[in-house]
């Protein structure tokens, strides 16, 4: 799917109501404050439009059931908040696209299991569906830290045909707090169907540019730079564009008209028809750029605890670990043990149900053995749905 918006794309950075009110979202329902008195929201969004942004964000990032329940709000309030906040932004935006913001739901238990993944998926599906019904043009996943949670959200957006942008907060080395390298996240999420991939690095625009430069050769989708652009020089902004950024989220407390105009004048390096170096697998932790010849290990028995076998293979001549799966329990076991190895996983199964389970619950990008005796149409559909590599 081609990118559905014009580039460069510049949006404001107000993705949640607490950014307007200054309140702690755990202590105050800032969404209700804004709905009851929307002048701050309207002022910010109208100013952004008058200064030349090409998209706006609806400040729905923290609208989630678990949090709203703390303030005595129910399902109807959940839908009303999404609708009312987005309606205000749509009125300001006129013909500009509006993105619905979804923040990570920190109250979902931090595990890798099937039940937790499905809970996250349906949580994101409900939130994204509500935003689609409210009239947004795309979804922005913001402040996400865990790759499995990002995968669940991208799959949810894909299931309702909503373009989804992912914005990842990383340290100076490009790593999230949960230990995922951002290149692994890029490889996994663009294959899964993300429309754009973003980097938020609070250290400096120079480090952000270096991270974007490293990502660009592997990016099949536009790259987002998110920063306080009021603190950036024109040289630093130009460097972001030259390194590969083509979408800009301006997180300045007060955006500047001159900076927006300058961002709009920057060249776009990204081209959808340019060949990219993206033939790679990924674990939740890192990306694996695949050689022409993959040396597979001997098949590893799919047990619940494979730690010793997997760790031993890190020092072997094999550059990929081979699994033959017979059941959905086998699929669950390789997902459970994914953190035990620094090598990519190659799977073989003749059962499409088992294959889908493996592709859904492995939190990265798997390699699938082309010798699987699965109907070609079914195999291709599953590869496409989950972004797997066929070898």
């Amino acid at each position: 799917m081609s990118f559905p918006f014009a580039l460069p794309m510049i949006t404001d950075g107000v993705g949640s109501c607490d950014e307007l009110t200054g309140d702690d979202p755990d202590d105050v329902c800032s969404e209700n404050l804004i709905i009851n008195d929307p002048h701050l929201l309207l002022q910010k969004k109208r100013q952004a439009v008058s200064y030349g942004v090409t998209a706006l964000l609806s400040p729905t990032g923290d609208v989630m059931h678990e949090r709203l329940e703390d303030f005595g709000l129910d399902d109807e309030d959940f839908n009303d908040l999404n609708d009312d906040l987005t309606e205000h932004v749509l009125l300001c935006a006129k013909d500009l696209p509006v993105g619905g913001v979804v923040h990570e739901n920190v109250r979902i238990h931090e595990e890798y299991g099937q039940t937790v993944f499905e809970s996250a998926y349906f949580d994101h599906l409900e939130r994204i569906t509500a935003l689609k019904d409210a009239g947004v043009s795309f979804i922005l996943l913001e402040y996400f830290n865990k790759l499995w949670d990002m995968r669940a959200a991208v799959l949810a957006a894909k299931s309702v045909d909503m373009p989804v942008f992912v914005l990842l907060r990383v340290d100076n080395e490009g790593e999230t707090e949960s230990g995922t390298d951002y290149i692994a996240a890029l490889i996994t999420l663009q294959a899964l169907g993300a429309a754009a991939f973003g980097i938020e690095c609070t250290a400096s625009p120079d480090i952000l540019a270096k991270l974007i430069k490293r990502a660009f050769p592997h990016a099949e989708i536009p790259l987002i730079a998110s920063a306080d652009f009021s603190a950036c020089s024109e040289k630093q902004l130009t460097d972001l564009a030259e390194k590969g950024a083509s979408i800009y989220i301006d997180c300045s407390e007060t955006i500047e008209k001159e900076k927006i105009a300058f961002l709009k004048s920057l060249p776009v390096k990204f081209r959808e028809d340019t060949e990219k170096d993206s033939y790679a697998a990924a674990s939740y932790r890192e990306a694996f750029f695949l050689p022409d010849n993959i040396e597979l290990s001997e098949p590893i028995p799919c047990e619940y605890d494979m730690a010793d076998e997997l760790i031993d293979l890190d020092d072997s001549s094999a550059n990929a670990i081979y699994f033959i799966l017979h059941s959905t329990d086998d699929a669950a076991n390789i997902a459970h043990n994914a953190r035990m190895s620094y090598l990519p996983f190659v799977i073989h199964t003749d059962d499409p149900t088992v294959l889908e389970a493996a592709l859904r619950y492995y939190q990265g990008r798997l390699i699938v053995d082309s010798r699987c005796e699965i109907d070609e149409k079914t195999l291709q559909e599953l590869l496409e749905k989950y972004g797997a590599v066929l070898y």
Side-chain angles (χ1 to χ4, degrees):
M1 182 182 73
S2 61
F3 188 72
F5 308 107
L7 296 173
M9 187 177 187
I10 299 102
T11 183
D12 70 312
V14 181
S16 61
C17 289
D18 62 283
E19 295 173 42
L20 293 167
T21 65
D23 293 303
D24 185 331
D26 290 332
D27 295 335
V28 176
C29 184
S30 49
E31 291 81 9
N32 256 344
L33 295 180
I34 292 298
I35 293 301
N36 292 329
D37 184 8
H39 79 277
L40 276 175
L41 174 62
L42 297 173
Q43 179 184 3
K44 282 278 190 182
K45 299 300 180 179
R46 286 170 179 162
Q47 182 185 61
V49 172
S50 70
Y51 283 3
V53 298
T54 64
L56 288 176
L57 300 178
S58 183
T60 54
D62 292 324
V63 180
M64 55 191 80
H65 285 297
E66 292 83 355
R67 175 175 160 270
L68 297 180
E69 287 171 0
D70 294 344
F71 305 111
L73 303 177
D74 58 18
D75 291 355
E76 184 176 348
D77 296 305
F78 169 85
N79 290 316
D80 288 345
L81 288 174
N82 281 303
D83 289 342
D84 293 346
L85 290 170
T86 302
E87 182 180 4
H88 285 309
V89 179
L90 287 168
L91 289 172
C92 296
K94 300 178 182 177
D95 295 330
L96 298 180
V98 170
V101 179
V102 173
H103 287 174
E104 179 183 53
N105 189 342
V106 295
R107 302 193 190 187
I108 293 179
H109 193 43
E110 298 184 20
E111 291 182 2
Y112 295 86
Q114 174 178 335
T115 302
V116 175
F117 182 85
E118 291 299 344
S119 295
Y121 171 82
F122 286 110
D123 174 73
H124 295 312
L125 180 61
E126 182 178 24
R127 296 169 71 188
I128 290 167
T129 300
L131 288 168
K132 180 178 182 178
D133 292 344
V136 303
S137 302
F138 64 96
I139 299 296
L140 173 66
L141 306 180
E142 191 177 40
Y143 303 144
F144 275 64
N145 180 51
K146 296 176 264 313
L147 183 56
W148 66 264
D149 200 14
M150 289 181 272
R151 286 187 73 251
V154 171
L155 280 170
K158 188 176 178 179
S159 73
V160 293
D161 198 28
M162 281 297 294
V164 58
F165 300 3
V166 180
L167 185 60
L168 200 62
R169 178 171 284 184
V170 299
D171 62 19
N172 294 1
E173 303 303 318
E175 191 172 289
T176 70
E177 287 182 4
S178 61
T180 296
D181 181 81
Y182 76 112
I183 298 295
L186 167 63
I187 294 297
T188 298
L189 297 172
Q190 72 178 3
L192 198 62
F197 180 86
I199 304 164
E200 181 184 22
C201 178
T202 57
S204 77
D206 299 322
I207 292 176
L208 178 57
K210 290 179 182 178
L211 295 175
I212 289 173
K213 180 182 179 180
R214 181 181 161 215
F216 187 75
H218 314 297
E220 297 177 349
I221 54 180
L223 294 176
I224 309 166
S226 176
D228 177 356
F229 294 132
S230 67
C232 298
S233 67
E234 290 188 354
K235 180 179 182 300
Q236 288 171 321
L237 295 177
T238 301
D239 195 33
L240 288 171
E242 290 177 346
K243 296 299 190 293
S246 55
I247 301 174
Y248 304 91
I249 299 178
D250 190 346
C251 299
S252 310
E253 186 172 337
T254 303
I255 64 174
E256 299 176 5
K257 186 175 183 178
E258 295 77 12
K259 287 287 172 67
I260 299 299
F262 188 77
L263 286 169
K264 291 174 74 173
S265 74
L266 292 173
V268 175
K269 188 175 179 181
F270 175 79
R271 294 287 184 275
E272 289 182 315
D273 57 355
T274 301
E275 184 175 347
K276 302 295 194 304
D277 178 18
S278 59
Y279 183 59
S283 67
Y284 89 98
R285 183 166 44 197
E286 62 185 309
F288 309 101
F289 295 97
L290 304 174
D292 292 335
N293 295 313
I294 299 177
E295 185 176 344
L296 300 177
S297 71
E298 292 298 317
I300 302 300
C302 294
E303 300 173 349
Y304 181 77
D305 184 359
M306 297 181 279
D308 291 341
E309 292 86 348
L310 296 179
I311 291 170
D312 288 345
L313 284 169
D314 286 339
D315 297 322
S316 72
S317 60
N319 57 16
I321 302 177
Y322 190 55
F323 299 91
I324 298 176
L325 311 183
H326 301 287
S327 68
T328 55
D329 285 342
D330 290 347
N333 287 340
I334 66 163
H336 175 73
N337 284 272
R339 291 174 287 173
M340 296 296 110
S341 177
Y342 286 92
L343 294 175
F345 286 8
V346 181
I347 61 170
H348 179 104
T349 181
D350 298 328
D351 186 332
T353 301
V354 173
L355 177 59
E356 178 156 25
L359 294 176
R360 189 170 183 86
Y361 300 120
Y362 179 83
Q363 302 309 326
R365 191 184 191 198
L366 277 173
I367 306 169
V368 177
D369 188 347
S370 60
R371 297 168 295 182
C372 294
E373 294 184 6
I374 294 175
D375 172 73
E376 184 176 353
K377 182 175 182 291
T378 301
L379 178 61
Q380 289 301 323
E381 287 175 349
L382 290 173
L383 294 173
E384 169 69 21
K385 181 176 180 179
Y386 294 102
V389 180
L390 185 65
Y391 176 76

